[in-house]
Amino acid sequence: MPERLFRFIPDQASTLAPAVDNLYFFLVALSAFFSILIAGLLIYFAVKFRRRPEHAIADEHGVVRGGQDPEHGAHGPALALEIAWTVIPLVIVLGIFFWSNRLFFLISRPPADAMEVFVVGKQWMWKVQHPEGQREINQLHVPVGRPVRLTMSSEDVIHSFFMPAFRVKMDVLPGRYTTAWFQATRPGTYPLYCAEYCGTLHSGMIGQIVVMHPDAYQAWLEGAPSGGQTLASAGEGLFKSFGCAACHLTDSPRGPRLAGAYGKPVSLEGGASAVADEGYLRESILNPQAKIVAGYPPIMPTFQGQVTEEQLIQLIAYVKSLGAEEGGAARSAQGASELRKD
């Protein structure tokens, strides 16, 4: 888009941007229309029905007062007018509700094939991890035309991940995960801000979103430092070093098997249930007594203070990589081992 002398709004660089802007401009136009209408009617009625000597009437005591004779003045709006100014605003408000509700669900539901990126906010920087192992600070490289799902958390205070060109803003909270998504439509470099005051250097917590053609993005992935490990492989090392495999990679009576568990419902003690998503896995690592899986004793220790936010992401990436097929293979191997022991 060519540079404009007066830039009223940021460039539209995502699939969500036009939908957000359409609703925004409609609300601005609607507000302007009714503001002008009401102000105009106020001025018109103030002039038309101002106090005049010819409209003055005397009360029963002979005191002259301004105004119309109640017996001969207007009797109020007609029924049709009352219905109109009730029904029309109702229709407009309901239209706004359904329009904004549809947009909300579009923004809050990432596509199933979205590329995953993990973001950790920290005073005063953005730390980004790609599933392939690449890490960035205050930058995020993404391919054009592909949905990107952001899973975000904070190490300290509340931040807000704001990408004006994509019309995406999501609070990044300590102690939990929040998600957002976008699909860039044009290559380029776009600003990234923290939109929540987070301390003395809040204004310096800025970055860039670099949108690249798919080939250029693939070349960047191959050249970017990754430490030789994907998130899942790094998580596997942590998983084994903390001794999690003994309880969660075998059919152990001490803990539920995690192979193939991600995204599935989990039965809890007391009859409740939960979905084994990122938030559930994070809570289970840091506060394992919060939700006890039915049929297992509450013996898992907490890892609060022993793992960083980046390590939590790696552990969760590894658990997500444990598919049902891997789980089936592990069960077969364990069964064969038990047969050999017998």
Side-chain angles (χ1 to χ4, degrees), residues 234-269:
E236 182 180 10
L238 291 170
F239 195 84
K240 292 177 179 178
S241 67
F242 286 125
C244 307
C247 297
H248 298 294
L249 287 187
T250 61
D251 291 324
S252 169
R254 294 173 294 178
R257 190 181 187 86
L258 293 181
Y262 177 77
K264 304 292 178 57
V266 179
S267 299
L268 306 176
E269 288 288 347

Side-chain angles (χ1 to χ4, degrees), residues 13 142-148 183-188 210-214 217:
V142 297
V144 67
R146 183 174 178 185
V148 178
Q183 181 176 334
T185 55
R186 294 190 296 118
V210 182
V211 181
M212 313 173 75
H213 287 288
Y217 174 73

Side-chain angles (χ1 to χ4, degrees), residues 34-49:
F34 279 106
S35 297
I36 294 172
L37 176 64
I38 292 171
L41 289 175
L42 283 173
I43 295 172
Y44 171 76
F45 291 140
V47 173
K48 180 175 177 60
F49 299 107

Side-chain angles (χ1 to χ4, degrees), residues 44-58 63-68:
Y44 171 76
F45 291 140
V47 173
K48 180 175 177 60
F49 299 107
R50 69 187 184 277
R51 182 174 180 177
R52 300 177 186 176
E54 59 269 24
H55 292 162
I57 58 175
V63 179
V64 177
R65 303 180 185 277
Q68 293 181 322

Side-chain angles (χ1 to χ4, degrees), residues 110 113-120 126-137 139-143 146-153 161 163 177-182 192 208-210 217 220-221 231 278 313 317 320:
D113 60 342
M115 179 183 81
E116 285 196 283
V117 174
F118 298 89
V119 178
V120 176
W126 297 109
K127 297 188 288 185
V128 178
Q129 295 188 76
H130 294 259
E132 296 83 2
Q134 291 78 7
R135 296 189 178 195
E136 305 182 76
I137 294 180
Q139 274 196 336
L140 171 57
H141 288 73
V142 297
R146 183 174 178 185
V148 178
R149 180 179 185 262
L150 305 173
T151 300
M152 301 176 287
S153 185
F161 199 82
M163 301 174 288
Y177 288 128
T178 55
T179 60
W181 78 278
F182 65 91
L192 163 66
Q208 294 178 329
I209 309 296
V210 182
Y217 174 73
W220 175 85
L221 278 181
L231 284 183
E278 289 95 345
I313 290 171
K320 292 169 67 173

Side-chain angles (χ1 to χ4, degrees), residues 18 27 42 44-45 62 91 95 111 124 128 139 143 169 194-195 205 207 238 280-281 286-287 295 321 325 327 337:
L27 294 176
L42 283 173
Y44 171 76
F45 291 140
V91 171
W124 288 272
V128 178
Q139 274 196 336
K169 186 179 85 71
C194 176
M205 193 169 173
L238 291 170
Y280 171 84
L281 294 175
L286 300 181
N287 186 15
S321 72
E325 292 183 3
S337 176

